[in-house]
Amino acid sequence: MSSRTAASGSATATGRATRAVIPAAGLSTRFLPATKAVPKPMLPVVDRPVLQYIVEEATSAGVTDVLLITGRGKTSMVDHFDRQPELEERLAAKGDAARLEAVRRTAELAQIYTCRQTEVLGLGHAIAYAESHIGDAPFAVLLADEFPDESAPLLPQMLDLQAATGGIVIGLVEVPDEQTSRYGIASLSPDEPPPEAPEGAVTISGLVEKPPPGEAPSNLAIFGRYVLPGGIFEAIGRTKPGSGGEIQITDAIALMMAEGTPVHGIVYRGVRYDTGVPLGYLQAVVQLASKRDDIGADFRRWLTEFVRTWQE
Ligand code: G1P
């Protein structure tokens, strides 16, 4: 890795995005007290922190450059993607090739850059910190508390679609009525998405951040994946505080949409892990542990027995 502070790079306004921004400076109140001193994206799922799954998701989609928006007390997120020479030497001396490879790999995944959000004033405000790094190039945003199963990725189709339209592409997921007030919710337009759009693509005509219960225009919630054009920064600058008194990326996207930028969504139908809340986190741990080649079989056996005795 090269952990650098954000600096402007060779930005191009068109083409498939190769940069990603991961806003990870939030206060993570839904997971207190665990997240008082440990950043939520560093919570482990089996033996990798959530953030590593997310960086791997980005790099598997062709992203080579990742900007982590961090904050006070969150430098462990950046350290995770650095080399650890002492530890590496120890593992090499012990001949523990597998762990050595696992420890080194995190430093080789991508160019990791970092910048600090000094005040936590919302997701749009966090993304605005990326402007000097991104320039006017399109880029992906991955929220650090949810991710798709790696067998059914979403980001590659989103990057392709954004390169085709030059507009905005959002990941969507269907949620039950009682959960719509936790998310940004999309309204759909009857307009067909462009011919090159993948299955599940829709044209969006409206977006509202965390509508009150019973007032959501649909059940299609924003899954924390976005591919945005560089023009979003100027739109964020004009966005007034919205839901929760914060500068919302949903509102900045809605502003660009109202001014003519095409906004498409891709409805995700695969397995989505929501590690932002304790229940979803536990489900992710169980699901991903069960699938592991090394411990999966033993874990599934134990879990089956555990559930059987629990039911008696
Ligand atoms: C954020 C976004 C929201 C989106 C959600 C997905 O909300 O503002 O539009 O639906 O992520 O997880 P948060 O979870 O940060 O409150």
Side-chain angles (χ1 to χ4, degrees), residues 213-302:
E215 289 180 29
S218 81
N219 286 66
L220 289 175
I222 300 176
F223 179 169
R225 299 292 176 274
Y226 310 78
V227 187
L228 303 169
I232 195 72
F233 297 115
E234 192 271 333
I236 295 171
R238 290 189 287 127
T239 300
K240 306 261 177 313
S243 170
E246 298 188 330
I247 308 286
Q248 298 292 347
I249 192 64
T250 306
D251 297 338
I253 294 171
L255 183 62
M256 286 187 80
M257 182 164 55
E259 292 172 352
T261 300
V263 181
H264 294 97
I266 302 180
V267 183
Y268 184 67
R269 307 263 178 220
V271 174
R272 164 178 163 264
Y273 303 111
D274 178 3
T275 50
V277 289
L279 180 61
Y281 172 78
L282 286 172
Q283 290 164 338
V285 170
V286 170
Q287 284 169 285
L288 287 160
S290 300
K291 285 166 62 140
R292 289 275 294 239
D293 291 338
D294 50 358
I295 56 168
D298 284 347
F299 182 63
R300 289 194 303 272
R301 212 171 300 121
W302 173 83

Side-chain angles (χ1 to χ4, degrees), residues 30 40 122-124 143 145-146 170-171 173 180-185 207-210 220-226 243 246-251 272 274 276:
R30 282 176 279 202
K40 189 170 63 174
L123 187 53
L143 302 193
D145 52 11
E146 54 187 336
I170 299 173
V173 67
T180 50
S181 59
R182 278 175 43 191
Y183 294 94
I185 302 290
L207 284 169
V208 50
E209 180 67 14
K210 302 197 175 78
L220 289 175
I222 300 176
F223 179 169
R225 299 292 176 274
Y226 310 78
S243 170
E246 298 188 330
I247 308 286
Q248 298 292 347
I249 192 64
T250 306
D251 297 338
R272 164 178 163 264
D274 178 3

